[in-house]
Structure formats: C-alpha cells, structure tokens
Amino acid sequence: MNDYNVLDIEKMVRSIVKDMKMEMVKSKEDESKDDESDSFGIFEDMNEAIKAAALSQRLYLRYSLKKRSEIVNSIRVELLKNIEQLSKMGVEETGMGRYEDKILKNKLAIEKSPGIEDLKPEVDTGDGGLTLYEMSPFGVIGSITPSTNPTETVICNTIGMLAAGNSVVFSPHPSAKKVTALIVKIINKAIEKVDGPKNLVVTVKEPSIENTNLMLAHEKVNMICATGGPGIVKIALSSGKKAIGAGAGNPPVVVDETADVEKAAIDIIDGCSFDNNLPCIAEKEVIVVDKVADKLMECMANYCAMKITDIKLLNKLEKLVLNEKGKINKKFVGKNADYIMEHLGIKIDPRIRVIFAEVDKDHPFAVEELMMPILPIIRVANVDRAIELAIKLENGNRHTAIMHSKNIDNLSKFAKDVQTTIFVKNAPSYAGIGFGTEGHSTFTIAGPTGEGLTSAKTFTRKRRCVLADTFSIK
Ligand code: NAD
C-alpha cells in the first residue's frame, strides 16, 4: 500500500491530468454542439424528472445486454475525459476536500465499479426440468447523494444501477447541485453517443428537502438508495419502499505492539488525510497500546503531520471546530490542516496534512465523526483494552475498522468482534474500497441495511424462471 503515499499520489495525478488534456479539448468542442432543446437529464420539476426516468427505463428494458454494456462503457470513457473539471468543481462548489484526491476517487469509481458482469445467474436442473434465477432490474431508483463524495457517489451509483437495467433519479445535497447537474449532463451525452435512451439518469436543477420527500413518496420510484448521515438513512428506511442505507462511520484504528510502527504511522496519515478525511471509511481515531504509543506519534510527526501538545491550544481547536452542543462546525469539514490552524492564528507548512493530539477516551474528537484532518490518539494498556474501546467508538455503525498488527490472533479477534462491513489490516483505510488492492470499488457502503459494498447486483430483484420437465442434460 505504500505505493500510494502522498508523493506518489501527486505524481499519479499529474500523469492522469496530462493524459486527459487532449481528450478535454475534444470534449469542449463537442459541448459547443449541444442541442438547446435537450435537457440532458436536468429538470425543473421532480415529478417531470421521475416521469421521464420511468419512461426511459421501460425503453431500456428492450435494449440488449450488449447495448447496456456499451452504454456503461461510454459513460466510463466520457467521465474519464471530464475528470479534471468534475474534481475541481467538486472541491470548489462544496468547499471541501482536495482536488488531487478527488481525481483519484473519481478515477477509482469510474474504473472499478462493476458493470453487467456482476449479474451472475443461478440455476437448478434435474428430473423436474430447469429453474433459472436471474438478477432483474428494480425499475426506477431514487438515489440520495452526500456532499462529501458528490461526484464519486453519482459515478458508482450510475454504473451499478444502469448495468443492472434500472434508471436513476438523483437527489443531491443542495451544496453540490451544480457539479451534480454537470455530471448528469455528461452521463446523458455519453448515453446518447451510443444511441441509448434519453433521461436514463436524471436530477433536478434545485435539489431540496421537499424534492427528496417527493421522490421518496413517488409511486413510480421502486427503490431508494440513501448515502449520507444517520438522519437521511432513517428517512429512507421509513419510505415504505425497498431501501438501501449507506450511513455514517467513525472508523477506529488499533495499533498493537507487534505492528510495524513506522509503516503504521505512514498508512494512518495517508488514510486519514485522503480528501481531508471526508471519506466515511477514513481513519477517525487511533487507539494504540502504551508500549508503542510514543514511537507511533514520533513517526507520525516525521511524516506530514503535526502534534499538538499544548492543552490550551487543543482546547482552542476544540472550540473552533465544534459548536456549543459539541457537534461539528461544518465550516471546517473537509478543510486543509493549515486552513484550520490559520483560524487559530497559527501558520503551518501547507504540506502538513494532519493535526494530531493525545486525548482522553471520551474526548469529542474521538466520539464525533469529524471529517476533518484532526486525529485523536488514545493510549491504552494493552490490545484487549484497545479492541474494547475501538468497538465502543465505532458506535455500532458497522462501517469500517483498521488494525496494524502482525499477530493473527489479535487481528482475528478485532475483525470478528467489531462487526464492521470493512476491516483493513496493515494498510490505509482506502485499501478497503479497492484503492491499490483487490476487489471492486464503491462509495455507497451499506452497513445499516447489510448489502455491504454495493455493486450492480445490489440494485436488482432476484426472479425465478421455470421450464418444466426438460433442458436438464445431467
Ligand atoms: P447528510 O446526511 O447531511 O446529507 C446526505 C444527503 O441526504 C444529502 O443529499 C442531503 O441533502 C440529504 N438529506 C439530509 N437530511 C435530509 C432530510 N432531513 N430530508 C431530506 N434529505 C436530507 O450528509 P453529508 O454531510 O452530505 O455527508 C456526510 C455523511 O455521509 C457522513 O456521515 C458520512 O459518513 C456519510 N457517508 C456515508 C457513506 C457510506 O457509503 N456509508 C458514503 C459517504 C458519506
């Protein structure tokens, strides 16, 4: 995983951007040829958007699997051409995250979200004939997307939902409405380019709570997929429809005395600082055994991170990034470490990606899902205490946990007891979504409803097709 440390990330981004320059020029030329009468999936009215997506899905059902695959591939190609603009706009419009990391996240979603190959049939054969089980589309899916991964979620949802034969209505966070409209437009153009149906992917110009509620209740919407905090997951699960809930996380990291401490420090900072800690999978607190705690912090401080030792400064930082109720101050979510420190009147090297401090186990920095590059470190006596505390701080989200250890018994114990959807051993958290590792990627990780790392098959209905008395050649 050290293939993906901070310096390498910068190199990778430069080469991706260079490769795309030529394609960008070409896509700009295409843009000037836009048909004014085509909405490219963007509607004033949510009802009209849903109606169009429902009609489109009926047409889409008649398309061959070959065409479906062509549509998905065209979407991947066009999104890749526009990755620079989408990543830039994602940061600028939401005011959160890092451009170079958004490029990597978007690229990961474009390239590693599975297509139609994910829809594997099952079969029973025997004297009674042949019974086939197929993964059929659900119909129209209403997808609610977060501000923290505005384009990444649209990309993986679109690829998975369309590969499964559905159409999709996106209801984004209002703070990401422009970039969502842009990506929906690019996707519709990509579909039209290979003669696919119009309005397979739609959204509204002005997303709002009212529009989301309308979508949740609409008779033509067959499935809801909500990616966001606990509030929206609860709302989605109360919709009376089949709902996939991808909720909040507060991923703990456990480091025991057998860990490669130097590597653990690098992995933790790389994971925690990725897109300024916005990903729901990112390291949010570290629990380290006393024996290696000092060494771990020393290694972290030697690698793009700054330790706060002054308790007064720590209190000031707490007052800055949390409100009176102890909840996060959204002004600092997804911001750079130097931006945060500047608000305390302290100038730090912009290359410092994480601020960390040793804190008590009940400190709000450990309990709250901060989504800022501020990392609390908690020292405990031994690995059993560490696992116990990590489970408590994970807070039953069943989301993500990380451990640095060479002891397979310790690794197994934590993995089994914490019950998270993702468990990463000896790597940065992003290894858990297939970044530089095996396995597919997604930015919709459904812990509360149990689908786990979503993909095309998640967005299907299992149907049975029976042929009596024949076609068995056993
Ligand atoms: P958020 O919960 O504020 O918003 C998520 C979406 O829900 C947005 O589209 C928002 O407009 C909508 N929404 C929120 N409250 C609503 C309401 N009352 N009625 C109608 N719509 C409502 O979250 P956010 O700040 O955009 O994203 C960060 C959160 O999402 C974090 O908690 C993070 O852990 C979580 N997240 C989870 C995953 C996952 O895969 N499990 C992925 C990304 C983000």
Side-chain angles (χ1 to χ4, degrees), residues 144-148 172-173 227-229 232 235 246-248 280 369 399 443 445:
I144 300 157
T145 52
S147 55
T148 47
H173 196 287
T227 310
I232 191 59
I235 291 170
C280 51
E369 185 197 21
H399 202 296
F443 287 84
I445 299 147

Side-chain angles (χ1 to χ4, degrees), residues 20 23-24 26-28 30-31 71-86 110 183 185-194:
M20 278 158 197
E23 294 292 358
M24 295 253 330
K26 204 171 160 294
S27 71
K28 287 242 166 61
D30 289 350
E31 204 151 288
I71 288 172
V72 170
N73 286 338
S74 177
I75 291 171
R76 291 191 209 272
V77 169
E78 295 306 313
L79 287 175
L80 213 46
K81 284 182 193 167
N82 289 281
I83 201 169
E84 204 183 8
Q85 188 187 6
L86 290 168
I110 293 167
I183 195 168
K185 184 174 175 180
I186 294 166
I187 289 167
N188 275 281
K189 282 176 155 186
I191 297 170
E192 281 186 28
K193 214 167 185 170
V194 289

Side-chain angles (χ1 to χ4, degrees), residues 388-405:
E388 221 170 78
L389 179 59
I391 292 169
K392 188 168 172 237
L393 292 170
E394 206 278 327
N395 198 26
N397 294 318
R398 296 182 160 201
H399 202 296
T400 299
I402 303 108
M403 185 165 187
H404 294 271
S405 170

Side-chain angles (χ1 to χ4, degrees), residues 96 144-149 153 171-174 208-210 212-213 216 227-232 235 245-249 278-281 330 369 371 399 443-448:
M96 300 189 289
I144 300 157
T145 52
S147 55
T148 47
N149 300 331
T153 314
S171 194
H173 196 287
S208 63
I209 288 184
E210 293 70 35
T212 302
N213 287 338
L216 287 164
T227 310
I232 191 59
I235 291 170
L278 288 177
C280 51
I281 53 156
K330 290 208 168 150
E369 185 197 21
M371 295 182 284
H399 202 296
F443 287 84
T444 293
I445 299 147

Side-chain angles (χ1 to χ4, degrees), residues 189-204:
K189 282 176 155 186
I191 297 170
E192 281 186 28
K193 214 167 185 170
V194 289
D195 300 320
K198 278 185 195 291
N199 299 321
L200 215 40
V201 176
V202 298
T203 190
V204 284

Side-chain angles (χ1 to χ4, degrees), residues 326-337:
K327 299 290 167 198
I328 52 172
N329 176 353
K330 290 208 168 150
K331 195 177 154 196
F332 296 98
V333 170
K335 292 286 199 255
N336 289 2

